[in-house]
Amino acid sequence: MSLLEIEGVHVARGGTPVLHGVSLEVDAREAVCLLGRNGMGKTTLLRTVMGLTRTSTGRISVDGSPIHQRPPHAVARLGVAYAPQGRGIFSDLSVEENLSIAKRRGAVAQPVEALYELFPMLAERRRQQGGTLSGGEQQLLAIARCLISDPKLIMLDEPTEGLQPSIVQQLTELLPTIRERYGVGFLLVEQNLDFAFAVTDRGYVLERGEIAVAGTVDELRDHPLIIEYLGI
């Protein structure tokens, strides 16, 4: 049984179809990338998994439990964490308050000090307001906020967007460490293909709301669709 199973999901927004029968899966402790040009439905798919957007038809499950009719807080309680595009941190709260507010009820929360060991930059800024952090620091906070809830699956939407190369390299080293230490799976939407291929095992390409290609990172790297449309 896969950790995350998406089966034949259709989604419409404002009466306009966005996703057309999308199916994919993520196994426990596996990292999977979701690729595609802008406007192909990648963010919509993550929002649908999280319960922020409703399916028209299809099924989504986590560890075999259906989640496609559940509200976001119920999806989170089943172990799904989401760092949206733009990070979505609370700008008026301190780093430590952002972490504390994300603890999932009923879960064994990760100790804040353990996260500070993994994210020393955040430890130095624990009392600083989230809105005053740099883009890279905000992204680290968004990932740490996901981890504190002891998730099974973390979904990241464009985590390297707007980040300087040194922070991208830090994330490249950090995500495999998180997988090994915490045993989580990742579903990653990303435009930076070098980064995506460095931190994931498999991937899917979403084209006009449908899965056009699926395969291992090595298979995707040389696929004509990747080369033609995504610029490798």
Side-chain angles (χ1 to χ4, degrees):
M1 181 187 301
S2 297
L3 170 60
L4 173 69
E5 289 186 90
I6 301 174
E7 304 171 84
V9 164
H10 292 256
V11 172
R13 297 180 64 183
T16 301
V18 178
L19 299 178
H20 311 277
V22 172
S23 297
L24 62 80
E25 60 185 35
V26 180
D27 290 336
R29 298 173 179 260
E30 184 182 33
V32 173
C33 57
L34 183 61
L35 309 174
R37 294 175 294 177
N38 290 333
M40 295 295 107
K42 304 185 300 297
T43 293
T44 297
L45 184 59
L46 296 194
R47 288 178 54 85
T48 302
V49 173
M50 201 66 224
L52 296 166
T53 300
R54 291 294 183 183
T55 60
S56 302
T57 59
R59 183 178 185 275
I60 305 173
S61 61
V62 172
D63 275 345
S65 298
I67 64 170
H68 52 282
Q69 298 298 329
R70 300 195 186 205
H73 68 271
V75 175
R77 287 176 187 168
L78 287 173
V80 180
Y82 177 40
Q85 189 174 15
R87 291 108 198 184
I89 65 168
F90 296 101
S91 60
D92 292 335
L93 299 183
S94 70
V95 166
E96 197 146 295
E97 289 169 335
N98 266 276
L99 294 175
S100 296
I101 204 171
K103 292 179 181 178
R104 178 162 54 93
R105 189 169 65 186
V108 178
Q110 298 294 337
V112 172
E113 291 304 323
L115 293 178
Y116 285 152
E117 180 184 346
L118 188 62
F119 301 91
M121 189 181 296
L122 298 181
E124 297 171 3
R125 292 159 174 75
R126 66 178 70 193
R127 291 181 174 81
Q128 189 170 327
Q129 284 187 322
T132 66
L133 302 177
S134 70
E137 291 164 349
Q138 289 185 9
Q139 187 61 66
L140 294 177
L141 176 56
I143 295 172
R145 189 178 59 182
C146 288
L147 277 174
I148 202 169
S149 65
D150 194 28
K152 301 172 184 176
L153 173 71
I154 296 177
M155 300 190 299
L156 303 177
D157 194 351
E158 303 281 8
T160 69
E161 184 179 40
L163 300 188
Q164 61 188 34
S166 63
I167 298 295
V168 174
Q169 181 58 39
Q170 186 175 348
L171 289 177
T172 303
E173 298 167 359
L174 183 62
L175 294 193
T177 300
I178 291 172
R179 286 175 65 190
E180 181 177 352
R181 183 176 301 185
Y182 294 96
V184 300
F186 279 99
L187 179 57
L188 172 78
V189 166
E190 185 55 66
Q191 294 286 343
N192 183 332
L193 297 180
D194 289 337
F195 172 75
F197 291 158
V199 300
T200 60
D201 308 301
R202 296 187 300 112
Y204 299 84
V205 178
L206 202 58
E207 182 73 8
R208 296 185 179 89
E210 300 180 359
I211 299 296
V213 181
T216 66
V217 163
D218 287 338
E219 290 168 339
L220 291 179
R221 186 178 283 112
D222 297 323
H223 195 281
L225 187 63
I226 298 286
I227 296 171
E228 180 179 358
Y229 288 114
L230 300 180
I232 289 186

